[in-house]
Amino acid sequence: MIKLQIILPMYFPHILVISMAAYFGAIEKAPFTAIMLLTEMIETVQQVLPMIIVTFVAYYILDILGGKPIYEDLRLQMNYHKNIDK
């Protein structure tokens, strides 16, 4: 979008932080945790509202698609492999 001049290059860090919060909030199914961690990492509350909106959109899209939290899925895979090895 920067190369197509749809957005200005100065907004790239903001998009990056907001995207990180959305990704983490969706894969972990913990949107508040993602927002708090990213807010703490960047040490400003400037992007909190966009982070909230985008994180909850990502969370609900994953929920609609039937996604599971990543650590729960990994735990289930580990238990499956332990049962096979026995």
Side-chain angles (χ1 to χ4, degrees):
M1 289 179 15
I2 291 172
K3 287 182 181 181
L4 297 174
Q5 297 180 346
I6 296 171
I7 61 169
L8 297 174
M10 67 184 220
Y11 293 122
F12 180 71
H14 301 285
I15 292 170
L16 188 65
V17 168
I18 293 165
S19 301
M20 286 173 28
Y23 180 71
F24 182 68
I27 66 164
E28 189 52 42
K29 285 207 149 191
F32 289 113
T33 303
I35 293 165
M36 293 304 293
L37 284 174
L38 266 292
T39 302
E40 187 177 316
M41 282 175 57
I42 61 173
E43 298 180 347
T44 182
V45 294
Q46 191 176 20
Q47 294 112 346
V48 170
L49 183 59
M51 273 197 285
I52 290 170
I53 294 167
V54 174
T55 302
F56 276 98
V57 167
Y59 176 85
Y60 286 120
I61 288 173
L62 184 71
D63 203 34
I64 289 169
L65 296 175
K68 296 180 199 171
I70 187 79
Y71 294 120
E72 180 183 334
D73 197 38
L74 290 173
R75 182 182 54 82
L76 292 173
Q77 286 180 10
M78 280 182 25
N79 289 340
Y80 176 75
H81 291 295
K82 284 181 184 177
N83 291 336
I84 289 177
D85 293 337
K86 289 183 180 182

